[in-house]
Amino acid sequence: MSCEELVSALPEGRVITEPATMESYRWDRAYDPDAGTPLAVVRAESTSDVQTVVRYAAERGIAVVPRGAGSGLSGGSTAVEGGIVLSMERMREITVDPLTRTAVVQPGAFNSEVKAAAAEHGLWYPPDPSSYDFCSIGGNIATNAGGLCCVKYGVTTDYVLGLNVVLADGRSVALGGPRLKDVAGLDLTKLFIGSEGTLGVVTEITLRLIPAQRPPTTLVATFKSLDASTEAILAISSSMRPSMLEFMDRPTINAVEDATRMGLDRDAAAMLVVQSDEPAEFAAKEIAQIEALCQEHQADEVFSTTDPDEGEAFVVARRMAIPAVEQKGSLLLEDVGVPLPKLGDLVRGIEQIAQRRDIVIAVIAHAGDGNTHPLLVFDPADLDQKERAHIAYGEVMDLAVELGGTITGEHGVGRLKRPWLAGYIGEDALDLNHRIKMALDPQNVLNPGAVLDPAVLKS
Amino acid sequence: MSCEELVSALPEGRVITEPATMESYRWDRAYDPDAGTPLAVVRAESTSDVQTVVRYAAERGIAVVPRGAGSGLSGGSTAVEGGIVLSMERMREITVDPLTRTAVVQPGAFNSEVKAAAAEHGLWYPPDPSSYDFCSIGGNIATNAGGLCCVKYGVTTDYVLGLNVVLADGRSVALGGPRLKDVAGLDLTKLFIGSEGTLGVVTEITLRLIPAQRPPTTLVATFKSLDASTEAILAISSSMRPSMLEFMDRPTINAVEDATRMGLDRDAAAMLVVQSDEPAEFAAKEIAQIEALCQEHQADEVFSTTDPDEGEAFVVARRMAIPAVEQKGSLLLEDVGVPLPKLGDLVRGIEQIAQRRDIVIAVIAHAGDGNTHPLLVFDPADLDQKERAHIAYGEVMDLAVELGGTITGEHGVGRLKRPWLAGYIGEDALDLNHRIKMALDPQNVLNPGAVLDPAVLKS
């Protein structure tokens, strides 16, 4: 199919059809092996551009795959064969209104850019995926992204007041807006958040901001026993309210230490990074209580600091876990979560899966949320190992579901986790997903293959 | 139509058909004049009871109106002629899990009962509608209820992790659950919250709890000028983060003073009740800064107290505003909200509407959210005045929409505000509401006439 009509329907410079340039738009960070070759990549610059693309696609039954910064971890932005990749990378305006403590943001703006714009007014946009300096707000909306501070401050949906969305038939509709309370009609804003581009293309977002966070006090604790560390997490999360409660296991600690040489304890079974952002005196009290809980649970070493920079070094270590482990091989990136009392069972079960399948699984976790990221490492040239890693990937999800947990806490279902969705949410909830998708995008033009099975939708 | 089959399909004692007993189930607190006479009232005691009722109704095309405590203010629980009122008043179990800081609650439990159960474990369920000691959690879910502390702590949807819902065909489906992060599939939990019983009947709710609130410091300020008071509100809300920021105008102050004789200033144009729940030293600083802002904006008298009981007396005064104004006549209860910079225009505009229509409108507001409750007072025996009040009711909503605001911040559309929904959200957003309703309840069995126009749904 030719794209001449698409090129001529859009202002100049929007459409890429050159195969070499399109190549980098075929994958997000999940590197889906089944990525197709798109018909065209469109870099939209306005809501009107997005409408033109969606109308063009809807009239011809072509897939539209919306794309933010391409940092997604479950293949939500994998290109579809013969479809259009609709990149929002050029739509990144940010307008902060300090009087109402809101920001109006275009979807291509990076999370870190929104944070920086808010900070200029002494304000804060809390959600902080580890990828915050290279992920887009549009992608955060698509997956209802979480992060490190979410244990105290909630996830993306908690900060979205309104959206502008281009629907599957090309109409542009404003949902919600800069009103702090609004219950007129169904909560469509919340429905579109986390819908992974399957119901509409978000072209503008109204965010709620809060006053800047106080400089945190940071505690780092290492444990010789994995069980002791997860018991400490439960003790902390059920009695305190830290602003961060992160976990790294031994393979992760070693990968980060290989990359940083910052002097982490390579023999530790687990390391926790905990922060309190209460006013100084209260933070000191909170951190002292958390330290006592760590000691009660056989912590090996405990260190705390009120110096934000010193503390940040450990947070950076935690955030660089994924790139550090990536040095060891190709990754399958998991995102399973469980109710906190089951965190120990999950972590220990993952260790057993790693042993049984003879692969390395490095586990990091937003421990206070029960949300873990097991990183399955494999050598892509070793086909047998690769297959074992894929089997283990499914087994980790099965284990999480068995423990009352979810197959994805914050990365989304995308294409990689689609086969596990029905088993987790059940046929009735899946049926509701299908009904809503069919009601809003009956042709399945928007991100087909993400989240829901196109074959089932047609039936 | 006879109900014998319904009676025999349910365990004994569930079904009421006696007209006199059914009478009190025909209205909620909106006293909708168009309330019908139901075929039967069912007091469900289990999810299975609810399924039986919905299946019975679906097979026969009978309306089901779910009902919590009947404290709704926009006619969301008005009985439908020949339909079934499905009361959840007997489903009020509450189980708190302090380890995960969650509660599993049946919909008939009162908000205050949930708060009390959480408090037994040193935990807190924040959302606090003024009606918290006689409204149900199920009703709170139905309307995504707000309250006084929402200015800092958010609304109902921010505390719901999961729901069990009986769908329009009688299936029972679990959505979400006790996982702090979960993005597997569409966010159906959030979609059902605020859907006013039109998409399903909620039979169980998993709530997130947080540590108990610190005892607040309270500030009360009176103003001779209405404009000065709303400017003070904007100054406070854009620079501080109070845990309560409430507003009462002169008619409200006088009605409350008539009812309480607590010594409120009858000449004040407006009174603010503000709280800070920061740690003592910080609360003192926050309240001092708020006091300074009030003084800068020509406050007449400012009083503050760290005594929680003394502070609570003013909060009680604010909470009893509706019953106090109710003493003056019948009420039409408004619930309009605007972005905070427009609050002054809204309050002044309402004053003008009151003058033009020659009726009393007492205004209370969750001022920090821009969410106001104009209470339109009329003598039901004075038909001309009653008509003028109804005209003013619409004019207040028109004014709010003109100012970029909403027709309902926290009470819901119900039946009373339905005619104004399209004008506010627009035809495209309304179309999305219709599509989702038709996808989930194609027969329009669930709460027909609430939120959406049945005539339009059929077309």
Side-chain angles (χ1 to χ4, degrees), chain A residues 101 171 179 181-182 186 240 369 404 406 410 424 428 431 433, chain B residues 101 171 179 181-182 186 240 369 404 406 410 424 428 431 433:
Chain A
R101 290 176 173 167
R171 278 179 300 165
R179 291 160 292 273
K181 285 180 181 165
D182 192 354
L186 297 175
M240 313 298 299
D369 294 321
T406 177
E410 57 180 15
Y424 168 47
D428 288 333
D431 173 58
N433 275 271
Chain B
R101 290 178 174 166
R171 278 180 298 165
R179 292 161 291 272
K181 284 178 181 165
D182 192 354
L186 297 175
M240 314 297 299
D369 293 321
T406 177
E410 57 181 13
Y424 168 47
D428 288 332
D431 174 57
N433 276 271

PDB file of all heavy atoms in Angstrom, chain A residues 101 171 179 181-182 186 240 369 404 406 410 424 428 431 433, chain B residues 101 171 179 181-182 186 240 369 404 406 410 424 428 431 433:
ATOM      1  N   ARG A 101      -1.668  24.736  40.705  1.00  0.00           N
ATOM      2  CA  ARG A 101      -0.802  23.566  40.876  1.00  0.00           C
ATOM      3  C   ARG A 101      -1.167  22.456  39.898  1.00  0.00           C
ATOM      4  O   ARG A 101      -1.425  21.306  40.294  1.00  0.00           O
ATOM      5  CB  ARG A 101      -0.870  23.049  42.313  1.00  0.00           C
ATOM      6  CG  ARG A 101      -0.197  23.988  43.298  1.00  0.00           C
ATOM      7  CD  ARG A 101      -0.366  23.489  44.710  1.00  0.00           C
ATOM      8  NE  ARG A 101       0.404  24.282  45.657  1.00  0.00           N
ATOM      9  CZ  ARG A 101       0.252  24.223  46.974  1.00  0.00           C
ATOM     10  NH1 ARG A 101      -0.628  23.400  47.494  1.00  0.00           N
ATOM     11  NH2 ARG A 101       0.973  24.957  47.766  1.00  0.00           N
ATOM     12  N   ARG A 171     -12.278  11.350  16.097  1.00  0.00           N
ATOM     13  CA  ARG A 171     -12.770  12.478  16.895  1.00  0.00           C
ATOM     14  C   ARG A 171     -11.797  12.779  18.028  1.00  0.00           C
ATOM     15  O   ARG A 171     -11.184  11.879  18.592  1.00  0.00           O
ATOM     16  CB  ARG A 171     -14.134  12.140  17.516  1.00  0.00           C
ATOM     17  CG  ARG A 171     -15.299  12.334  16.581  1.00  0.00           C
ATOM     18  CD  ARG A 171     -16.594  11.946  17.262  1.00  0.00           C
ATOM     19  NE  ARG A 171     -16.570  10.538  17.666  1.00  0.00           N
ATOM     20  CZ  ARG A 171     -17.418   9.986  18.525  1.00  0.00           C
ATOM     21  NH1 ARG A 171     -18.349  10.725  19.111  1.00  0.00           N
ATOM     22  NH2 ARG A 171     -17.346   8.704  18.813  1.00  0.00           N
ATOM     23  N   ARG A 179     -10.135  20.399  37.219  1.00  0.00           N
ATOM     24  CA  ARG A 179     -11.032  20.463  38.373  1.00  0.00           C
ATOM     25  C   ARG A 179     -10.627  19.360  39.337  1.00  0.00           C
ATOM     26  O   ARG A 179     -10.436  18.216  38.932  1.00  0.00           O
ATOM     27  CB  ARG A 179     -12.488  20.268  37.913  1.00  0.00           C
ATOM     28  CG  ARG A 179     -13.022  21.439  37.084  1.00  0.00           C
ATOM     29  CD  ARG A 179     -14.227  21.057  36.253  1.00  0.00           C
ATOM     30  NE  ARG A 179     -13.888  20.132  35.202  1.00  0.00           N
ATOM     31  CZ  ARG A 179     -13.462  20.498  33.986  1.00  0.00           C
ATOM     32  NH1 ARG A 179     -13.355  21.755  33.667  1.00  0.00           N
ATOM     33  NH2 ARG A 179     -13.148  19.574  33.088  1.00  0.00           N
ATOM     34  N   LYS A 181     -12.208  17.968  41.832  1.00  0.00           N
ATOM     35  CA  LYS A 181     -13.248  16.952  42.018  1.00  0.00           C
ATOM     36  C   LYS A 181     -14.203  17.065  40.841  1.00  0.00           C
ATOM     37  O   LYS A 181     -14.607  18.175  40.492  1.00  0.00           O
ATOM     38  CB  LYS A 181     -14.046  17.215  43.307  1.00  0.00           C
ATOM     39  CG  LYS A 181     -13.357  16.868  44.598  1.00  0.00           C
ATOM     40  CD  LYS A 181     -14.286  17.205  45.756  1.00  0.00           C
ATOM     41  CE  LYS A 181     -13.672  16.915  47.103  1.00  0.00           C
ATOM     42  NZ  LYS A 181     -14.456  17.600  48.177  1.00  0.00           N
ATOM     43  N   ASP A 182     -14.572  15.939  40.267  1.00  0.00           N
ATOM     44  CA  ASP A 182     -15.479  15.961  39.126  1.00  0.00           C
ATOM     45  C   ASP A 182     -16.040  14.559  38.943  1.00  0.00           C
ATOM     46  O   ASP A 182     -15.286  13.634  38.647  1.00  0.00           O
ATOM     47  CB  ASP A 182     -14.734  16.411  37.864  1.00  0.00           C
ATOM     48  CG  ASP A 182     -15.685  16.733  36.715  1.00  0.00           C
ATOM     49  OD1 ASP A 182     -16.902  16.508  36.851  1.00  0.00           O
ATOM     50  OD2 ASP A 182     -15.191  17.219  35.683  1.00  0.00           O
ATOM     51  N   LEU A 186     -19.326   8.764  33.600  1.00  0.00           N
ATOM     52  CA  LEU A 186     -18.322   7.732  33.893  1.00  0.00           C
ATOM     53  C   LEU A 186     -16.928   8.352  33.973  1.00  0.00           C
ATOM     54  O   LEU A 186     -16.660   9.359  33.332  1.00  0.00           O
ATOM     55  CB  LEU A 186     -18.348   6.658  32.805  1.00  0.00           C
ATOM     56  CG  LEU A 186     -19.658   5.869  32.684  1.00  0.00           C
ATOM     57  CD1 LEU A 186     -19.595   4.928  31.482  1.00  0.00           C
ATOM     58  CD2 LEU A 186     -19.951   5.091  33.961  1.00  0.00           C
ATOM     59  N   MET A 240       5.274   1.465  59.297  1.00  0.00           N
ATOM     60  CA  MET A 240       5.853   2.773  59.002  1.00  0.00           C
ATOM     61  C   MET A 240       5.275   3.271  57.673  1.00  0.00           C
ATOM     62  O   MET A 240       4.488   2.584  57.035  1.00  0.00           O
ATOM     63  CB  MET A 240       7.378   2.662  58.883  1.00  0.00           C
ATOM     64  CG  MET A 240       8.070   1.882  59.964  1.00  0.00           C
ATOM     65  SD  MET A 240       7.845   2.617  61.615  1.00  0.00           S
ATOM     66  CE  MET A 240       8.601   4.205  61.348  1.00  0.00           C
ATOM     67  N   ASP A 369       5.584  -1.853  47.692  1.00  0.00           N
ATOM     68  CA  ASP A 369       4.358  -2.101  46.934  1.00  0.00           C
ATOM     69  C   ASP A 369       4.169  -3.583  46.627  1.00  0.00           C
ATOM     70  O   ASP A 369       3.195  -3.948  45.973  1.00  0.00           O
ATOM     71  CB  ASP A 369       4.408  -1.368  45.578  1.00  0.00           C
ATOM     72  CG  ASP A 369       4.397   0.138  45.722  1.00  0.00           C
ATOM     73  OD1 ASP A 369       3.673   0.635  46.598  1.00  0.00           O
ATOM     74  OD2 ASP A 369       5.105   0.807  44.950  1.00  0.00           O
ATOM     75  N   GLY A 404      -1.623 -14.967  44.636  1.00  0.00           N
ATOM     76  CA  GLY A 404      -2.587 -13.873  44.739  1.00  0.00           C
ATOM     77  C   GLY A 404      -2.072 -12.573  44.151  1.00  0.00           C
ATOM     78  O   GLY A 404      -2.580 -11.494  44.469  1.00  0.00           O
ATOM     79  N   THR A 406      -0.219 -10.209  40.725  1.00  0.00           N
ATOM     80  CA  THR A 406      -0.520  -9.784  39.357  1.00  0.00           C
ATOM     81  C   THR A 406       0.628 -10.094  38.417  1.00  0.00           C
ATOM     82  O   THR A 406       1.792 -10.136  38.838  1.00  0.00           O
ATOM     83  CB  THR A 406      -0.823  -8.272  39.302  1.00  0.00           C
ATOM     84  OG1 THR A 406      -1.043  -7.894  37.932  1.00  0.00           O
ATOM     85  CG2 THR A 406       0.316  -7.423  39.852  1.00  0.00           C
ATOM     86  N   GLU A 410       3.285  -2.514  36.847  1.00  0.00           N
ATOM     87  CA  GLU A 410       3.438  -1.143  36.351  1.00  0.00           C
ATOM     88  C   GLU A 410       3.956  -1.042  34.928  1.00  0.00           C
ATOM     89  O   GLU A 410       4.019   0.058  34.397  1.00  0.00           O
ATOM     90  CB  GLU A 410       4.356  -0.345  37.291  1.00  0.00           C
ATOM     91  CG  GLU A 410       5.742  -0.981  37.480  1.00  0.00           C
ATOM     92  CD  GLU A 410       6.651  -0.191  38.422  1.00  0.00           C
ATOM     93  OE1 GLU A 410       6.171   0.679  39.143  1.00  0.00           O
ATOM     94  OE2 GLU A 410       7.861  -0.471  38.416  1.00  0.00           O
ATOM     95  N   TYR A 424      -4.857 -14.653  34.527  1.00  0.00           N
ATOM     96  CA  TYR A 424      -4.809 -13.839  35.729  1.00  0.00           C
ATOM     97  C   TYR A 424      -6.146 -13.171  36.043  1.00  0.00           C
ATOM     98  O   TYR A 424      -6.709 -13.365  37.125  1.00  0.00           O
ATOM     99  CB  TYR A 424      -3.702 -12.773  35.619  1.00  0.00           C
ATOM    100  CG  TYR A 424      -3.803 -11.722  36.691  1.00  0.00           C
ATOM    101  CD1 TYR A 424      -3.994 -12.099  38.029  1.00  0.00           C
ATOM    102  CD2 TYR A 424      -3.740 -10.364  36.390  1.00  0.00           C
ATOM    103  CE1 TYR A 424      -4.116 -11.140  39.021  1.00  0.00           C
ATOM    104  CE2 TYR A 424      -3.855  -9.415  37.378  1.00  0.00           C
ATOM    105  CZ  TYR A 424      -4.053  -9.805  38.686  1.00  0.00           C
ATOM    106  OH  TYR A 424      -4.191  -8.868  39.670  1.00  0.00           O
ATOM    107  N   ASP A 428     -14.291 -13.614  32.845  1.00  0.00           N
ATOM    108  CA  ASP A 428     -15.341 -12.590  32.951  1.00  0.00           C
ATOM    109  C   ASP A 428     -14.759 -11.179  32.867  1.00  0.00           C
ATOM    110  O   ASP A 428     -15.305 -10.307  32.188  1.00  0.00           O
ATOM    111  CB  ASP A 428     -16.141 -12.766  34.244  1.00  0.00           C
ATOM    112  CG  ASP A 428     -17.048 -13.990  34.190  1.00  0.00           C
ATOM    113  OD1 ASP A 428     -17.447 -14.369  33.067  1.00  0.00           O
ATOM    114  OD2 ASP A 428     -17.344 -14.561  35.248  1.00  0.00           O
ATOM    115  N   ASP A 431     -13.722 -10.582  29.391  1.00  0.00           N
ATOM    116  CA  ASP A 431     -14.903 -10.261  28.571  1.00  0.00           C
ATOM    117  C   ASP A 431     -15.264  -8.780  28.694  1.00  0.00           C
ATOM    118  O   ASP A 431     -15.612  -8.132  27.703  1.00  0.00           O
ATOM    119  CB  ASP A 431     -16.065 -11.156  29.018  1.00  0.00           C
ATOM    120  CG  ASP A 431     -17.367 -10.784  28.341  1.00  0.00           C
ATOM    121  OD1 ASP A 431     -17.407 -10.804  27.094  1.00  0.00           O
ATOM    122  OD2 ASP A 431     -18.341 -10.451  29.046  1.00  0.00           O
ATOM    123  N   ASN A 433     -13.141  -6.372  29.293  1.00  0.00           N
ATOM    124  CA  ASN A 433     -12.121  -5.689  28.494  1.00  0.00           C
ATOM    125  C   ASN A 433     -12.497  -5.715  27.013  1.00  0.00           C
ATOM    126  O   ASN A 433     -12.430  -4.694  26.324  1.00  0.00           O
ATOM    127  CB  ASN A 433     -10.759  -6.385  28.675  1.00  0.00           C
ATOM    128  CG  ASN A 433      -9.997  -5.904  29.893  1.00  0.00           C
ATOM    129  OD1 ASN A 433      -9.239  -4.951  29.815  1.00  0.00           O
ATOM    130  ND2 ASN A 433     -10.215  -6.549  31.032  1.00  0.00           N
TER     131      ASN A 433
ATOM    132  N   ARG B 101      -2.533  -3.333  55.584  1.00  0.00           N
ATOM    133  CA  ARG B 101      -3.232  -2.044  55.627  1.00  0.00           C
ATOM    134  C   ARG B 101      -4.333  -1.966  54.578  1.00  0.00           C
ATOM    135  O   ARG B 101      -4.389  -1.025  53.777  1.00  0.00           O
ATOM    136  CB  ARG B 101      -2.247  -0.898  55.460  1.00  0.00           C
ATOM    137  CG  ARG B 101      -1.343  -0.736  56.656  1.00  0.00           C
ATOM    138  CD  ARG B 101      -0.347   0.376  56.416  1.00  0.00           C
ATOM    139  NE  ARG B 101       0.439   0.653  57.612  1.00  0.00           N
ATOM    140  CZ  ARG B 101       1.558   1.380  57.602  1.00  0.00           C
ATOM    141  NH1 ARG B 101       1.997   1.902  56.483  1.00  0.00           N
ATOM    142  NH2 ARG B 101       2.212   1.609  58.730  1.00  0.00           N
ATOM    143  N   ARG B 171     -23.627 -12.223  36.284  1.00  0.00           N
ATOM    144  CA  ARG B 171     -22.304 -12.769  36.620  1.00  0.00           C
ATOM    145  C   ARG B 171     -21.661 -11.937  37.719  1.00  0.00           C
ATOM    146  O   ARG B 171     -21.840 -10.720  37.777  1.00  0.00           O
ATOM    147  CB  ARG B 171     -21.384 -12.737  35.389  1.00  0.00           C
ATOM    148  CG  ARG B 171     -21.577 -13.883  34.441  1.00  0.00           C
ATOM    149  CD  ARG B 171     -20.628 -13.747  33.260  1.00  0.00           C
ATOM    150  NE  ARG B 171     -20.903 -12.517  32.515  1.00  0.00           N
ATOM    151  CZ  ARG B 171     -20.078 -11.992  31.619  1.00  0.00           C
ATOM    152  NH1 ARG B 171     -18.920 -12.563  31.371  1.00  0.00           N
ATOM    153  NH2 ARG B 171     -20.402 -10.874  30.968  1.00  0.00           N
ATOM    154  N   ARG B 179      -3.645  -5.722  45.798  1.00  0.00           N
ATOM    155  CA  ARG B 179      -2.315  -5.474  45.245  1.00  0.00           C
ATOM    156  C   ARG B 179      -2.166  -3.971  45.073  1.00  0.00           C
ATOM    157  O   ARG B 179      -3.046  -3.310  44.541  1.00  0.00           O
ATOM    158  CB  ARG B 179      -2.164  -6.187  43.900  1.00  0.00           C
ATOM    159  CG  ARG B 179      -2.140  -7.712  44.030  1.00  0.00           C
ATOM    160  CD  ARG B 179      -2.449  -8.415  42.730  1.00  0.00           C
ATOM    161  NE  ARG B 179      -3.837  -8.227  42.337  1.00  0.00           N
ATOM    162  CZ  ARG B 179      -4.845  -9.010  42.716  1.00  0.00           C
ATOM    163  NH1 ARG B 179      -4.623 -10.048  43.480  1.00  0.00           N
ATOM    164  NH2 ARG B 179      -6.074  -8.750  42.321  1.00  0.00           N
ATOM    165  N   LYS B 181      -0.069  -2.219  43.280  1.00  0.00           N
ATOM    166  CA  LYS B 181       0.096  -1.816  41.880  1.00  0.00           C
ATOM    167  C   LYS B 181      -0.426  -2.957  41.031  1.00  0.00           C
ATOM    168  O   LYS B 181      -0.093  -4.112  41.284  1.00  0.00           O
ATOM    169  CB  LYS B 181       1.574  -1.598  41.548  1.00  0.00           C
ATOM    170  CG  LYS B 181       2.207  -0.324  42.067  1.00  0.00           C
ATOM    171  CD  LYS B 181       3.677  -0.322  41.672  1.00  0.00           C
ATOM    172  CE  LYS B 181       4.407   0.908  42.157  1.00  0.00           C
ATOM    173  NZ  LYS B 181       5.873   0.710  42.065  1.00  0.00           N
ATOM    174  N   ASP B 182      -1.185  -2.642  40.013  1.00  0.00           N
ATOM    175  CA  ASP B 182      -1.724  -3.686  39.149  1.00  0.00           C
ATOM    176  C   ASP B 182      -2.230  -3.031  37.872  1.00  0.00           C
ATOM    177  O   ASP B 182      -3.163  -2.226  37.919  1.00  0.00           O
ATOM    178  CB  ASP B 182      -2.875  -4.421  39.851  1.00  0.00           C
ATOM    179  CG  ASP B 182      -3.278  -5.697  39.123  1.00  0.00           C
ATOM    180  OD1 ASP B 182      -2.756  -5.954  38.025  1.00  0.00           O
ATOM    181  OD2 ASP B 182      -4.118  -6.445  39.662  1.00  0.00           O
ATOM    182  N   LEU B 186      -7.579  -3.307  31.244  1.00  0.00           N
ATOM    183  CA  LEU B 186      -8.177  -1.987  31.501  1.00  0.00           C
ATOM    184  C   LEU B 186      -8.436  -1.804  32.988  1.00  0.00           C
ATOM    185  O   LEU B 186      -8.663  -2.773  33.722  1.00  0.00           O
ATOM    186  CB  LEU B 186      -9.493  -1.855  30.728  1.00  0.00           C
ATOM    187  CG  LEU B 186      -9.372  -1.911  29.205  1.00  0.00           C
ATOM    188  CD1 LEU B 186     -10.760  -1.902  28.565  1.00  0.00           C
ATOM    189  CD2 LEU B 186      -8.532  -0.746  28.681  1.00  0.00           C
ATOM    190  N   MET B 240       0.096  26.668  50.272  1.00  0.00           N
ATOM    191  CA  MET B 240       0.163  25.806  51.448  1.00  0.00           C
ATOM    192  C   MET B 240      -0.479  24.459  51.100  1.00  0.00           C
ATOM    193  O   MET B 240      -0.949  24.266  49.987  1.00  0.00           O
ATOM    194  CB  MET B 240      -0.613  26.439  52.620  1.00  0.00           C
ATOM    195  CG  MET B 240      -0.331  27.908  52.858  1.00  0.00           C
ATOM    196  SD  MET B 240       1.392  28.215  53.299  1.00  0.00           S
ATOM    197  CE  MET B 240       1.516  27.262  54.795  1.00  0.00           C
ATOM    198  N   ASP B 369     -10.808  22.525  47.177  1.00  0.00           N
ATOM    199  CA  ASP B 369     -11.023  21.757  45.943  1.00  0.00           C
ATOM    200  C   ASP B 369     -11.806  22.556  44.916  1.00  0.00           C
ATOM    201  O   ASP B 369     -12.106  22.037  43.834  1.00  0.00           O
ATOM    202  CB  ASP B 369     -11.843  20.490  46.239  1.00  0.00           C
ATOM    203  CG  ASP B 369     -11.096  19.494  47.105  1.00  0.00           C
ATOM    204  OD1 ASP B 369      -9.877  19.337  46.898  1.00  0.00           O
ATOM    205  OD2 ASP B 369     -11.731  18.873  47.971  1.00  0.00           O
ATOM    206  N   GLY B 404     -15.711  27.160  33.462  1.00  0.00           N
ATOM    207  CA  GLY B 404     -14.780  26.043  33.306  1.00  0.00           C
ATOM    208  C   GLY B 404     -14.938  25.000  34.395  1.00  0.00           C
ATOM    209  O   GLY B 404     -14.038  24.197  34.652  1.00  0.00           O
ATOM    210  N   THR B 406     -17.518  22.117  36.824  1.00  0.00           N
ATOM    211  CA  THR B 406     -18.322  20.907  36.657  1.00  0.00           C
ATOM    212  C   THR B 406     -19.703  21.070  37.293  1.00  0.00           C
ATOM    213  O   THR B 406     -19.853  21.809  38.272  1.00  0.00           O
ATOM    214  CB  THR B 406     -17.625  19.674  37.266  1.00  0.00           C
ATOM    215  OG1 THR B 406     -18.500  18.539  37.128  1.00  0.00           O
ATOM    216  CG2 THR B 406     -17.327  19.852  38.750  1.00  0.00           C
ATOM    217  N   GLU B 410     -18.932  15.862  43.569  1.00  0.00           N
ATOM    218  CA  GLU B 410     -18.833  14.670  44.417  1.00  0.00           C
ATOM    219  C   GLU B 410     -20.165  13.995  44.720  1.00  0.00           C
ATOM    220  O   GLU B 410     -20.179  12.936  45.330  1.00  0.00           O
ATOM    221  CB  GLU B 410     -18.126  15.025  45.745  1.00  0.00           C
ATOM    222  CG  GLU B 410     -18.819  16.139  46.527  1.00  0.00           C
ATOM    223  CD  GLU B 410     -18.095  16.495  47.831  1.00  0.00           C
ATOM    224  OE1 GLU B 410     -16.951  16.077  48.010  1.00  0.00           O
ATOM    225  OE2 GLU B 410     -18.705  17.194  48.670  1.00  0.00           O
ATOM    226  N   TYR B 424     -22.457  19.819  29.736  1.00  0.00           N
ATOM    227  CA  TYR B 424     -21.162  19.942  30.401  1.00  0.00           C
ATOM    228  C   TYR B 424     -20.075  19.104  29.728  1.00  0.00           C
ATOM    229  O   TYR B 424     -19.047  19.623  29.303  1.00  0.00           O
ATOM    230  CB  TYR B 424     -21.279  19.581  31.892  1.00  0.00           C
ATOM    231  CG  TYR B 424     -19.931  19.406  32.552  1.00  0.00           C
ATOM    232  CD1 TYR B 424     -18.920  20.353  32.352  1.00  0.00           C
ATOM    233  CD2 TYR B 424     -19.641  18.300  33.325  1.00  0.00           C
ATOM    234  CE1 TYR B 424     -17.665  20.199  32.923  1.00  0.00           C
ATOM    235  CE2 TYR B 424     -18.395  18.134  33.906  1.00  0.00           C
ATOM    236  CZ  TYR B 424     -17.413  19.075  33.699  1.00  0.00           C
ATOM    237  OH  TYR B 424     -16.180  18.929  34.243  1.00  0.00           O
ATOM    238  N   ASP B 428     -19.496  14.229  22.463  1.00  0.00           N
ATOM    239  CA  ASP B 428     -18.558  13.126  22.215  1.00  0.00           C
ATOM    240  C   ASP B 428     -18.281  12.321  23.489  1.00  0.00           C
ATOM    241  O   ASP B 428     -18.265  11.092  23.456  1.00  0.00           O
ATOM    242  CB  ASP B 428     -17.245  13.656  21.629  1.00  0.00           C
ATOM    243  CG  ASP B 428     -17.417  14.110  20.180  1.00  0.00           C
ATOM    244  OD1 ASP B 428     -18.302  13.565  19.493  1.00  0.00           O
ATOM    245  OD2 ASP B 428     -16.675  15.009  19.752  1.00  0.00           O
ATOM    246  N   ASP B 431     -21.294  10.331  24.233  1.00  0.00           N
ATOM    247  CA  ASP B 431     -21.338   9.162  23.356  1.00  0.00           C
ATOM    248  C   ASP B 431     -20.474   8.029  23.923  1.00  0.00           C
ATOM    249  O   ASP B 431     -20.869   6.860  23.892  1.00  0.00           O
ATOM    250  CB  ASP B 431     -20.865   9.575  21.955  1.00  0.00           C
ATOM    251  CG  ASP B 431     -20.729   8.390  21.019  1.00  0.00           C
ATOM    252  OD1 ASP B 431     -21.724   7.676  20.835  1.00  0.00           O
ATOM    253  OD2 ASP B 431     -19.618   8.166  20.488  1.00  0.00           O
ATOM    254  N   ASN B 433     -19.868   7.539  27.092  1.00  0.00           N
ATOM    255  CA  ASN B 433     -20.662   7.020  28.213  1.00  0.00           C
ATOM    256  C   ASN B 433     -21.718   6.031  27.702  1.00  0.00           C
ATOM    257  O   ASN B 433     -21.886   4.949  28.254  1.00  0.00           O
ATOM    258  CB  ASN B 433     -21.368   8.167  28.940  1.00  0.00           C
ATOM    259  CG  ASN B 433     -20.488   8.844  29.977  1.00  0.00           C
ATOM    260  OD1 ASN B 433     -20.451   8.442  31.125  1.00  0.00           O
ATOM    261  ND2 ASN B 433     -19.759   9.879  29.571  1.00  0.00           N
TER     262      ASN B 433
END
